[in-house]
Amino acid sequence: MKNIKNINDYNFNEKVAIIRVDFNVPLDKKLNITDTTRIDLGINSIKYVLDNGGKCIIMSHLGRPKGNGYQKEYSLKNIIKYLSVKLNREICLVDKYFSDSFSIQDYLIKSDIILLENLRFYSEEKQNDLKFSKKLAAMADIYINNAFGTSHRSHASTNSIIKYSKNYCIGDLVYNELSNINKVLFDEKKPFTAILGGAKVSDKINVIEKLIDLVDNIIIGGAMANTFIKSKGGKIGKSLFEEDNIIIAKSLLKKAEKRNVKIYLPEDLLCSKSINDYKTKTFNSYELPNDYSGFDIGYNSIITFKKVILNSKKIIWNGPMGVFEIDEFSNGTFEICKFVTEATKKGAFSLVGGGDSVSAVKKNNQENNISFISTGGGALLEFISNGTLPSLELLDN
Ligand code: AMP
Protein backbone atom coordinates (compact mmCIF):
# COMPACT_ATOMS: atom_id res chain seq x y z
CA MET A 1 0.00 0.00 0.00
CA LYS A 2 2.98 2.26 -0.65
CA ASN A 3 1.63 4.45 -3.43
CA ILE A 4 -1.89 4.87 -2.28
CA LYS A 5 -2.95 8.52 -2.15
CA ASN A 6 -5.00 9.92 0.66
CA ILE A 7 -7.47 12.70 0.85
CA ASN A 8 -5.02 15.45 1.74
CA ASP A 9 -3.01 14.77 -1.41
CA TYR A 10 -5.77 16.55 -3.38
CA ASN A 11 -7.06 20.09 -3.64
CA PHE A 12 -10.84 19.87 -3.71
CA ASN A 13 -11.53 23.52 -4.43
CA GLU A 14 -14.28 23.68 -7.07
CA LYS A 15 -13.94 19.94 -7.63
CA VAL A 16 -16.58 17.23 -7.35
CA ALA A 17 -15.70 14.16 -5.30
CA ILE A 18 -17.62 10.90 -5.43
CA ILE A 19 -17.19 9.13 -2.10
CA ARG A 20 -17.92 5.44 -1.50
CA VAL A 21 -18.91 5.18 2.15
CA ASP A 22 -20.27 2.29 4.18
CA PHE A 23 -23.45 3.70 5.72
CA ASN A 24 -24.91 0.23 6.03
CA VAL A 25 -26.28 0.96 9.52
CA PRO A 26 -28.72 -1.29 11.41
CA LEU A 27 -32.37 -0.15 11.41
CA ASP A 28 -35.21 -1.16 13.72
CA LYS A 29 -38.72 -2.17 12.61
CA LYS A 30 -39.75 1.48 12.40
CA LEU A 31 -36.71 2.11 10.17
CA ASN A 32 -34.89 4.19 12.77
CA ILE A 33 -31.11 3.85 12.98
CA THR A 34 -30.11 1.80 16.04
CA ASP A 35 -26.35 2.30 15.77
CA THR A 36 -24.91 5.34 14.01
CA THR A 37 -21.22 4.36 14.29
CA ARG A 38 -20.67 3.75 10.58
CA ILE A 39 -22.02 7.18 9.68
CA ASP A 40 -20.21 8.92 12.54
CA LEU A 41 -16.88 7.40 11.48
CA GLY A 42 -17.45 7.91 7.76
CA ILE A 43 -18.33 11.58 7.55
CA ASN A 44 -15.01 13.29 8.21
CA SER A 45 -13.87 12.90 4.63
CA ILE A 46 -17.16 14.37 3.39
CA LYS A 47 -16.65 17.36 5.69
CA TYR A 48 -13.07 17.68 4.47
CA VAL A 49 -14.15 17.97 0.83
CA LEU A 50 -16.91 20.47 1.65
CA ASP A 51 -14.67 22.54 3.93
CA ASN A 52 -12.10 22.74 1.15
CA GLY A 53 -14.50 24.17 -1.39
CA GLY A 54 -15.55 20.94 -3.10
CA LYS A 55 -18.88 19.25 -3.78
CA CYS A 56 -19.71 15.71 -2.67
CA ILE A 57 -21.58 12.84 -4.21
CA ILE A 58 -22.03 10.18 -1.55
CA MET A 59 -22.75 6.56 -2.43
CA SER A 60 -23.38 3.57 -0.19
CA HIS A 61 -25.26 0.32 0.06
CA LEU A 62 -27.74 -0.42 2.83
CA GLY A 63 -28.67 -3.97 3.75
CA ARG A 64 -29.30 -6.71 1.26
CA PRO A 65 -32.17 -5.71 -1.03
CA LYS A 66 -33.72 -8.61 -2.89
CA GLY A 67 -33.63 -8.18 -6.67
CA ASN A 68 -33.53 -4.92 -8.53
CA GLY A 69 -35.25 -1.65 -7.71
CA TYR A 70 -36.50 0.46 -4.84
CA GLN A 71 -37.40 -1.16 -1.49
CA LYS A 72 -38.49 1.13 1.32
CA GLU A 73 -36.70 -0.68 4.13
CA TYR A 74 -33.37 -0.43 2.32
CA SER A 75 -33.73 3.14 1.12
CA LEU A 76 -31.09 5.67 2.13
CA LYS A 77 -34.06 7.93 2.88
CA ASN A 78 -33.91 6.20 6.27
CA ILE A 79 -30.55 7.76 7.05
CA ILE A 80 -30.70 11.12 5.29
CA LYS A 81 -32.14 13.05 8.23
CA TYR A 82 -29.37 11.92 10.58
CA LEU A 83 -26.70 12.57 7.97
CA SER A 84 -28.03 16.02 7.27
CA VAL A 85 -28.01 16.93 11.00
CA LYS A 86 -24.45 15.61 11.37
CA LEU A 87 -23.25 17.62 8.37
CA ASN A 88 -25.44 20.58 9.17
CA ARG A 89 -26.57 20.82 5.52
CA GLU A 90 -29.46 19.94 3.28
CA ILE A 91 -28.72 16.79 1.31
CA CYS A 92 -30.33 15.91 -1.97
CA LEU A 93 -31.23 12.21 -2.42
CA VAL A 94 -31.13 11.02 -6.04
CA ASP A 95 -32.78 7.76 -7.01
CA LYS A 96 -32.75 6.96 -10.74
CA TYR A 97 -29.18 7.79 -11.63
CA PHE A 98 -28.47 4.93 -14.04
CA SER A 99 -30.32 6.11 -17.11
CA ASP A 100 -28.88 7.75 -20.19
CA SER A 101 -30.94 10.89 -19.69
CA PHE A 102 -29.71 11.40 -16.11
CA SER A 103 -27.45 14.40 -15.55
CA ILE A 104 -25.71 14.90 -12.21
CA GLN A 105 -24.90 18.49 -13.23
CA ASP A 106 -28.55 19.48 -12.79
CA TYR A 107 -28.41 18.35 -9.18
CA LEU A 108 -24.97 19.81 -8.46
CA ILE A 109 -26.21 23.26 -9.44
CA LYS A 110 -28.84 23.00 -6.70
CA SER A 111 -26.84 21.25 -4.00
CA ASP A 112 -23.25 20.82 -2.77
CA ILE A 113 -23.99 17.43 -1.34
CA ILE A 114 -25.81 14.63 -3.06
CA LEU A 115 -26.65 11.18 -1.81
CA LEU A 116 -27.14 8.48 -4.43
CA GLU A 117 -29.88 6.01 -3.49
CA ASN A 118 -28.79 2.52 -2.33
CA LEU A 119 -26.28 1.20 -4.86
CA ARG A 120 -27.68 -2.29 -4.45
CA PHE A 121 -31.02 -1.24 -5.95
CA TYR A 122 -29.05 -1.81 -9.16
CA SER A 123 -27.89 -5.39 -9.74
CA GLU A 124 -25.03 -3.86 -11.78
CA GLU A 125 -23.35 -2.79 -8.53
CA LYS A 126 -22.66 -6.32 -7.28
CA GLN A 127 -21.88 -7.49 -10.81
CA ASN A 128 -19.02 -4.97 -10.95
CA ASP A 129 -20.68 -3.80 -14.18
CA LEU A 130 -18.43 -1.59 -16.28
CA LYS A 131 -21.19 0.56 -17.77
CA PHE A 132 -22.49 1.29 -14.28
CA SER A 133 -19.09 2.12 -12.79
CA LYS A 134 -18.19 4.28 -15.79
CA LYS A 135 -21.37 6.26 -15.22
CA LEU A 136 -20.53 6.71 -11.52
CA ALA A 137 -16.95 7.76 -12.27
CA ALA A 138 -18.09 10.29 -14.87
CA MET A 139 -20.11 12.18 -12.24
CA ALA A 140 -16.99 13.46 -10.45
CA ASP A 141 -13.38 14.67 -10.71
CA ILE A 142 -12.02 12.55 -7.86
CA TYR A 143 -13.08 9.16 -6.49
CA ILE A 144 -12.61 8.51 -2.76
CA ASN A 145 -12.89 5.10 -1.14
CA ASN A 146 -13.88 5.55 2.49
CA ALA A 147 -15.59 2.17 2.91
CA PHE A 148 -13.07 -0.23 4.41
CA GLY A 149 -15.75 -2.76 5.40
CA THR A 150 -16.74 -3.35 1.76
CA SER A 151 -13.32 -3.05 0.14
CA HIS A 152 -12.91 -6.82 -0.02
CA ARG A 153 -15.84 -6.89 -2.42
CA SER A 154 -15.23 -6.33 -6.12
CA HIS A 155 -18.30 -4.23 -6.78
CA ALA A 156 -18.78 -1.41 -9.29
CA SER A 157 -18.52 1.35 -6.66
CA THR A 158 -15.45 -0.11 -4.96
CA ASN A 159 -13.62 -1.77 -7.80
CA SER A 160 -14.20 -1.08 -11.50
CA ILE A 161 -14.99 2.60 -10.85
CA ILE A 162 -11.24 3.05 -10.33
CA LYS A 163 -10.60 2.09 -13.97
CA TYR A 164 -12.68 5.04 -15.09
CA SER A 165 -11.53 7.62 -12.53
CA LYS A 166 -8.59 9.87 -13.38
CA ASN A 167 -7.97 10.77 -9.75
CA TYR A 168 -8.55 8.55 -6.77
CA CYS A 169 -7.58 8.14 -3.13
CA ILE A 170 -8.63 6.70 0.21
CA GLY A 171 -10.56 8.65 2.85
CA ASP A 172 -9.58 9.10 6.49
CA LEU A 173 -11.52 6.05 7.71
CA VAL A 174 -9.66 3.70 5.36
CA TYR A 175 -6.38 5.43 6.20
CA ASN A 176 -6.99 4.87 9.93
CA GLU A 177 -7.90 1.24 9.35
CA LEU A 178 -4.73 0.56 7.37
CA SER A 179 -2.46 2.30 9.89
CA ASN A 180 -3.98 0.52 12.88
CA ILE A 181 -4.03 -2.91 11.26
CA ASN A 182 -0.40 -2.47 10.25
CA LYS A 183 0.39 -1.32 13.77
CA VAL A 184 -1.13 -4.40 15.40
CA LEU A 185 0.47 -6.75 12.89
CA PHE A 186 3.94 -5.29 12.60
CA ASP A 187 4.84 -3.24 15.72
CA GLU A 188 7.61 -4.89 17.69
CA LYS A 189 5.58 -5.28 20.90
CA LYS A 190 5.38 -8.83 22.26
CA PRO A 191 3.70 -11.11 23.26
CA PHE A 192 1.17 -10.81 20.44
CA THR A 193 -2.10 -12.69 20.95
CA ALA A 194 -4.84 -13.32 18.39
CA ILE A 195 -8.28 -14.27 19.70
CA LEU A 196 -10.55 -15.91 17.15
CA GLY A 197 -14.09 -17.17 17.58
CA GLY A 198 -17.38 -17.64 15.82
CA ALA A 199 -18.85 -20.61 14.04
CA LYS A 200 -16.97 -21.12 10.82
CA VAL A 201 -13.38 -22.32 10.54
CA SER A 202 -13.72 -22.14 6.76
CA ASP A 203 -13.81 -18.32 6.87
CA LYS A 204 -10.71 -18.18 9.03
CA ILE A 205 -8.29 -20.79 7.66
CA ASN A 206 -6.26 -18.25 5.67
CA VAL A 207 -6.11 -15.80 8.52
CA ILE A 208 -4.97 -18.44 11.03
CA GLU A 209 -2.32 -19.58 8.56
CA LYS A 210 -1.04 -16.01 8.24
CA LEU A 211 -1.29 -15.24 11.96
CA ILE A 212 0.88 -18.26 12.79
CA ASP A 213 3.73 -16.36 11.11
CA LEU A 214 3.10 -13.25 13.18
CA VAL A 215 1.80 -14.02 16.67
CA ASP A 216 2.91 -15.77 19.86
CA ASN A 217 -0.50 -17.06 20.94
CA ILE A 218 -3.78 -17.88 19.25
CA ILE A 219 -6.84 -18.33 21.45
CA ILE A 220 -9.64 -20.12 19.64
CA GLY A 221 -13.19 -20.19 21.01
CA GLY A 222 -16.74 -20.50 19.70
CA ALA A 223 -17.97 -23.39 17.57
CA MET A 224 -14.82 -23.19 15.42
CA ALA A 225 -12.83 -24.54 18.39
CA ASN A 226 -14.89 -27.76 18.17
CA THR A 227 -13.40 -28.58 14.75
CA PHE A 228 -9.91 -28.29 16.27
CA ILE A 229 -10.86 -30.33 19.38
CA LYS A 230 -12.36 -33.04 17.16
CA SER A 231 -9.21 -33.08 15.02
CA LYS A 232 -7.32 -33.99 18.21
CA GLY A 233 -9.67 -36.90 18.88
CA GLY A 234 -11.95 -35.07 21.35
CA LYS A 235 -15.56 -36.17 21.88
CA ILE A 236 -17.62 -33.06 21.19
CA GLY A 237 -21.16 -34.49 21.55
CA LYS A 238 -23.67 -32.71 19.33
CA SER A 239 -21.63 -29.51 19.15
CA LEU A 240 -21.42 -27.63 15.86
CA PHE A 241 -18.24 -28.37 13.88
CA GLU A 242 -17.05 -28.61 10.27
CA GLU A 243 -16.27 -32.13 9.11
CA ASP A 244 -14.62 -30.85 5.91
CA ASN A 245 -12.08 -28.82 7.85
CA ILE A 246 -10.84 -31.38 10.36
CA ILE A 247 -7.73 -32.19 8.32
CA ILE A 248 -6.97 -28.51 7.81
CA ALA A 249 -7.43 -27.87 11.55
CA LYS A 250 -4.97 -30.65 12.28
CA SER A 251 -2.39 -29.22 9.90
CA LEU A 252 -2.79 -25.72 11.36
CA LEU A 253 -2.13 -27.11 14.84
CA LYS A 254 0.99 -28.84 13.49
CA LYS A 255 2.21 -25.70 11.74
CA ALA A 256 1.74 -23.68 14.92
CA GLU A 257 3.66 -26.21 16.97
CA LYS A 258 6.56 -26.10 14.49
CA ARG A 259 6.67 -22.29 14.72
CA ASN A 260 6.44 -22.32 18.52
CA VAL A 261 3.10 -20.54 18.40
CA LYS A 262 0.87 -21.60 21.26
CA ILE A 263 -2.73 -22.41 20.28
CA TYR A 264 -5.14 -22.28 23.21
CA LEU A 265 -8.36 -24.23 22.77
CA PRO A 266 -11.09 -24.23 25.45
CA GLU A 267 -10.40 -26.90 28.08
CA ASP A 268 -14.02 -26.89 29.26
CA LEU A 269 -17.35 -25.88 27.74
CA LEU A 270 -20.68 -24.69 29.03
CA CYS A 271 -23.14 -27.15 27.50
CA SER A 272 -26.81 -27.98 27.27
CA LYS A 273 -28.99 -30.43 25.37
CA SER A 274 -30.23 -27.78 22.95
CA ILE A 275 -29.85 -24.10 22.27
CA ASN A 276 -33.23 -23.46 23.94
CA ASP A 277 -32.41 -25.49 27.02
CA TYR A 278 -30.79 -23.41 29.75
CA LYS A 279 -30.19 -26.28 32.18
CA THR A 280 -26.48 -25.96 31.58
CA LYS A 281 -23.62 -28.20 32.65
CA THR A 282 -19.89 -27.73 32.25
CA PHE A 283 -17.86 -30.58 30.73
CA ASN A 284 -14.25 -31.14 29.79
CA SER A 285 -14.27 -30.03 26.14
CA TYR A 286 -12.76 -33.35 25.00
CA GLU A 287 -15.39 -35.46 26.82
CA LEU A 288 -18.86 -34.19 26.04
CA PRO A 289 -21.75 -36.66 26.43
CA ASN A 290 -23.41 -37.60 23.11
CA ASP A 291 -26.59 -35.63 23.81
CA TYR A 292 -24.90 -32.32 24.81
CA SER A 293 -23.60 -29.38 22.75
CA GLY A 294 -21.09 -26.76 23.81
CA PHE A 295 -22.47 -23.22 23.57
CA ASP A 296 -19.88 -21.21 25.50
CA ILE A 297 -16.41 -21.60 26.96
CA GLY A 298 -16.26 -22.81 30.57
CA TYR A 299 -14.77 -21.37 33.77
CA ASN A 300 -11.32 -23.02 33.47
CA SER A 301 -10.94 -21.88 29.87
CA ILE A 302 -11.80 -18.33 30.94
CA ILE A 303 -9.10 -18.42 33.64
CA THR A 304 -6.47 -19.73 31.19
CA PHE A 305 -7.43 -17.24 28.45
CA LYS A 306 -7.38 -14.42 31.02
CA LYS A 307 -3.73 -15.12 31.91
CA VAL A 308 -2.69 -15.15 28.25
CA ILE A 309 -4.58 -11.96 27.42
CA LEU A 310 -3.41 -9.97 30.45
CA ASN A 311 0.16 -10.92 29.66
CA SER A 312 -0.12 -9.67 26.05
CA LYS A 313 1.21 -6.42 24.62
CA LYS A 314 -0.66 -6.65 21.32
CA ILE A 315 -4.08 -8.21 20.86
CA ILE A 316 -6.32 -8.75 17.87
CA TRP A 317 -9.83 -10.10 18.48
CA ASN A 318 -12.39 -11.33 15.95
CA GLY A 319 -15.36 -13.55 16.79
CA PRO A 320 -17.40 -14.57 19.86
CA MET A 321 -16.50 -17.38 22.28
CA GLY A 322 -20.01 -18.82 22.19
CA VAL A 323 -23.61 -18.07 21.30
CA PHE A 324 -23.27 -14.70 22.97
CA GLU A 325 -26.60 -13.44 21.59
CA ILE A 326 -28.27 -15.62 24.26
CA ASP A 327 -27.64 -14.34 27.82
CA GLU A 328 -27.01 -17.83 29.22
CA PHE A 329 -24.14 -18.35 26.75
CA SER A 330 -22.69 -14.85 26.66
CA ASN A 331 -20.40 -14.98 29.69
CA GLY A 332 -17.28 -16.26 27.90
CA THR A 333 -17.43 -13.56 25.21
CA PHE A 334 -18.10 -10.79 27.72
CA GLU A 335 -15.26 -11.98 29.97
CA ILE A 336 -12.88 -11.91 27.00
CA CYS A 337 -14.05 -8.37 26.30
CA LYS A 338 -13.24 -7.46 29.90
CA PHE A 339 -9.74 -8.97 29.72
CA VAL A 340 -8.95 -7.24 26.42
CA THR A 341 -9.94 -3.89 27.94
CA GLU A 342 -7.92 -4.61 31.11
CA ALA A 343 -4.86 -5.46 29.02
CA THR A 344 -5.38 -2.25 27.02
CA LYS A 345 -5.52 -0.20 30.21
CA LYS A 346 -2.20 -1.83 31.20
CA GLY A 347 -0.65 -0.59 27.94
CA ALA A 348 -1.37 -3.27 25.36
CA PHE A 349 -2.43 -2.25 21.85
CA SER A 350 -5.77 -3.89 21.05
CA LEU A 351 -7.67 -4.11 17.79
CA VAL A 352 -11.18 -5.56 17.69
CA GLY A 353 -13.02 -6.23 14.42
CA GLY A 354 -16.07 -8.12 13.18
CA GLY A 355 -19.74 -7.46 13.93
CA ASP A 356 -20.11 -9.85 16.87
CA SER A 357 -16.96 -8.89 18.80
CA VAL A 358 -17.62 -5.18 18.25
CA SER A 359 -21.20 -5.65 19.42
CA ALA A 360 -19.90 -7.42 22.58
CA VAL A 361 -17.61 -4.44 23.23
CA LYS A 362 -20.51 -2.02 22.76
CA LYS A 363 -22.90 -4.03 24.95
CA ASN A 364 -20.32 -3.68 27.72
CA ASN A 365 -19.78 0.03 27.00
CA GLN A 366 -16.08 -0.57 26.48
CA GLU A 367 -15.57 1.24 23.16
CA ASN A 368 -13.23 3.75 24.77
CA ASN A 369 -11.07 1.04 26.33
CA ILE A 370 -10.06 -0.64 23.06
CA SER A 371 -7.17 0.89 21.11
CA PHE A 372 -8.88 0.55 17.74
CA ILE A 373 -12.26 -0.78 16.66
CA SER A 374 -12.20 -1.85 13.04
CA THR A 375 -15.24 -1.34 10.82
CA GLY A 376 -14.26 -4.46 8.90
CA GLY A 377 -15.16 -8.08 9.58
CA GLY A 378 -14.55 -10.02 6.38
CA ALA A 379 -12.44 -7.14 5.07
CA LEU A 380 -10.25 -7.20 8.16
CA LEU A 381 -9.65 -10.96 7.95
CA GLU A 382 -8.93 -10.76 4.23
CA PHE A 383 -6.55 -7.85 4.68
CA ILE A 384 -4.60 -9.74 7.35
CA SER A 385 -4.49 -12.85 5.15
CA ASN A 386 -3.35 -11.14 1.95
CA GLY A 387 -1.79 -7.84 3.06
CA THR A 388 -4.21 -6.02 0.77
CA LEU A 389 -7.78 -6.01 -0.54
CA PRO A 390 -8.80 -6.19 -4.21
CA SER A 391 -10.31 -2.71 -4.26
CA LEU A 392 -7.45 -1.08 -2.37
CA GLU A 393 -4.87 -2.75 -4.57
CA LEU A 394 -6.30 -0.92 -7.60
CA LEU A 395 -5.79 2.38 -5.79
CA ASP A 396 -2.16 1.58 -5.05
CA ASN A 397 -0.23 2.72 -8.09
P1 AMP B 1 -19.06 -16.43 12.38
O1 AMP B 1 -20.05 -15.90 11.39
O2 AMP B 1 -18.32 -17.62 11.91
O3 AMP B 1 -18.16 -15.36 12.93
O4 AMP B 1 -19.95 -16.94 13.62
C1 AMP B 1 -20.66 -16.09 14.48
C2 AMP B 1 -21.76 -16.89 15.14
O5 AMP B 1 -21.20 -18.04 15.76
C3 AMP B 1 -22.50 -16.15 16.25
O6 AMP B 1 -23.79 -15.86 15.81
C4 AMP B 1 -22.52 -17.15 17.41
O7 AMP B 1 -23.79 -17.29 17.99
C5 AMP B 1 -22.11 -18.45 16.75
N1 AMP B 1 -21.45 -19.36 17.68
C6 AMP B 1 -20.37 -19.13 18.43
N2 AMP B 1 -20.09 -20.19 19.19
C7 AMP B 1 -21.01 -21.13 18.93
C8 AMP B 1 -21.24 -22.45 19.39
N3 AMP B 1 -20.44 -23.00 20.32
N4 AMP B 1 -22.27 -23.15 18.88
C9 AMP B 1 -23.07 -22.58 17.95
N5 AMP B 1 -22.91 -21.33 17.44
C10 AMP B 1 -21.88 -20.62 17.93
Side-chain angles (χ1 to χ4, degrees):
M1 307 272 97
K2 271 186 240 131
N3 300 312
I4 215 159
K5 286 201 173 76
N6 64 58
I7 194 159
N8 28 23
D9 289 326
Y10 283 105
N11 177 358
F12 288 95
N13 194 31
E14 295 190 6
K15 297 276 189 261
V16 179
I18 187 160
I19 311 187
R20 177 49 157 115
V21 290
D22 179 2
F23 288 169
N24 180 27
V25 287
L27 303 173
D28 63 17
K29 284 193 182 121
K30 289 187 176 156
L31 303 178
N32 294 313
I33 306 173
T34 55
D35 181 351
T36 59
T37 310
R38 285 183 171 159
I39 298 179
D40 300 340
L41 292 176
I43 60 168
N44 280 345
S45 291
I46 300 172
K47 280 186 185 156
Y48 184 90
V49 172
L50 295 170
D51 290 348
N52 284 283
K55 294 190 177 213
C56 274
I57 302 166
I58 309 170
M59 54 179 175
S60 179
H61 72 288
L62 177 66
R64 294 182 175 171
K66 289 150 211 85
N68 246 341
Y70 178 83
Q71 287 154 59
K72 190 178 171 203
E73 66 271 38
Y74 300 114
S75 169
L76 291 176
K77 235 180 231 158
N78 300 311
I79 68 147
I80 201 163
K81 213 189 228 167
Y82 181 76
L83 189 58
S84 163
V85 170
K86 286 293 279 188
L87 292 168
N88 200 16
R89 301 203 186 209
E90 285 287 312
I91 300 169
C92 172
L93 180 69
V94 175
D95 53 3
K96 295 192 178 61
Y97 46 90
F98 188 43
S99 70
D100 287 338
S101 57
F102 173 80
S103 158
I104 193 73
Q105 300 313 329
D106 297 344
Y107 289 91
L108 286 169
I109 291 166
K110 287 183 250 159
S111 180
D112 286 350
I113 172 157
I114 283 160
L115 177 63
L116 300 184
E117 183 56 286
N118 194 343
L119 289 159
R120 291 193 188 165
F121 286 169
Y122 295 94
S123 55
E124 286 85 352
E125 159 68 354
K126 280 173 97 173
Q127 290 159 357
N128 205 9
D129 180 85
L130 299 183
K131 209 171 147 223
F132 187 59
S133 54
K134 192 173 180 185
K135 177 113 199 172
L136 294 173
M139 292 182 193
D141 304 300
I142 303 162
Y143 165 73
I144 304 172
N145 179 340
N146 209 24
F148 180 76
T150 41
S151 293
H152 58 316
R153 312 243 183 248
S154 291
H155 292 171
S157 67
T158 55
N159 191 285
S160 54
I161 188 170
I162 300 161
K163 279 189 205 153
Y164 298 110
S165 301
K166 279 198 205 90
N167 304 295
Y168 41 78
C169 64
I170 53 170
D172 67 309
L173 180 149
V174 175
Y175 178 84
N176 287 335
E177 290 276 357
L178 299 184
S179 348
N180 282 287
I181 299 169
N182 281 322
K183 188 167 174 184
V184 78
L185 295 182
F186 303 115
D187 250 24
E188 292 295 306
K189 283 181 166 185
K190 269 176 156 314
F192 181 10
T193 299
I195 308 164
L196 298 173
K200 288 177 244 119
V201 180
S202 42
D203 289 353
K204 288 160 195 142
I205 293 166
N206 293 339
V207 81
I208 298 174
E209 190 116 46
K210 180 72 189 180
L211 285 170
I212 290 174
D213 294 331
L214 299 170
V215 305
D216 304 290
N217 310 299
I218 303 180
I219 290 174
I220 299 179
M224 63 182 282
N226 299 328
T227 306
F228 285 88
I229 293 169
K230 188 143 173 103
S231 82
K232 293 172 79 178
K235 293 192 180 116
I236 60 166
K238 288 194 301 174
S239 301
L240 192 64
F241 77 105
E242 287 169 306
E243 180 78 51
D244 292 351
N245 286 315
I246 288 186
I247 293 171
I248 290 167
K250 212 174 200 167
S251 78
L252 288 171
L253 291 174
K254 235 188 212 159
K255 181 177 173 187
E257 199 180 342
K258 255 196 200 158
R259 300 275 165 97
N260 252 338
V261 172
K262 195 104 176 66
I263 296 213
Y264 292 88
L265 297 170
E267 51 212 87
D268 55 357
L269 292 171
L270 187 70
C271 306
S272 73
K273 289 191 174 170
S274 87
I275 192 113
N276 304 313
D277 171 12
Y278 305 137
K279 274 184 248 121
T280 55
K281 278 188 176 176
T282 301
F283 294 104
N284 177 314
S285 50
Y286 292 78
E287 292 168 10
L288 260 62
N290 289 338
D291 52 346
Y292 274 83
S293 305
F295 292 119
D296 194 8
I297 53 174
Y299 176 79
N300 293 328
S301 312
I302 291 174
I303 298 296
T304 306
F305 293 177
K306 177 181 183 178
K307 278 187 204 140
V308 179
I309 295 168
L310 290 188
N311 190 37
S312 302
K313 291 282 177 284
K314 282 196 307 180
I315 302 163
I316 185 160
W317 176 26
N318 176 284
M321 296 290 106
V323 186
F324 81 112
E325 299 93 335
I326 296 176
D327 286 348
E328 282 75 6
F329 305 120
S330 64
N331 184 50
T333 303
F334 291 164
E335 286 292 282
I336 294 299
C337 173
K338 202 166 90 191
F339 306 146
V340 174
T341 60
E342 276 175 36
T344 312
K345 284 182 199 157
K346 278 182 21 181
F349 182 81
S350 58
L351 187 147
V352 179
D356 293 333
S357 338
V358 173
S359 134
V361 169
K362 285 184 179 162
K363 271 190 188 163
N364 288 284
N365 295 317
Q366 293 299 331
E367 295 99 308
N368 296 329
N369 295 319
I370 299 292
S371 311
F372 186 73
I373 296 188
S374 172
T375 54
L380 172 68
L381 296 180
E382 200 172 317
F383 187 85
I384 296 170
S385 306
N386 302 330
T388 185
L389 295 176
S391 300
L392 297 182
E393 204 161 32
L394 290 177
L395 297 168
D396 190 19
N397 56 46

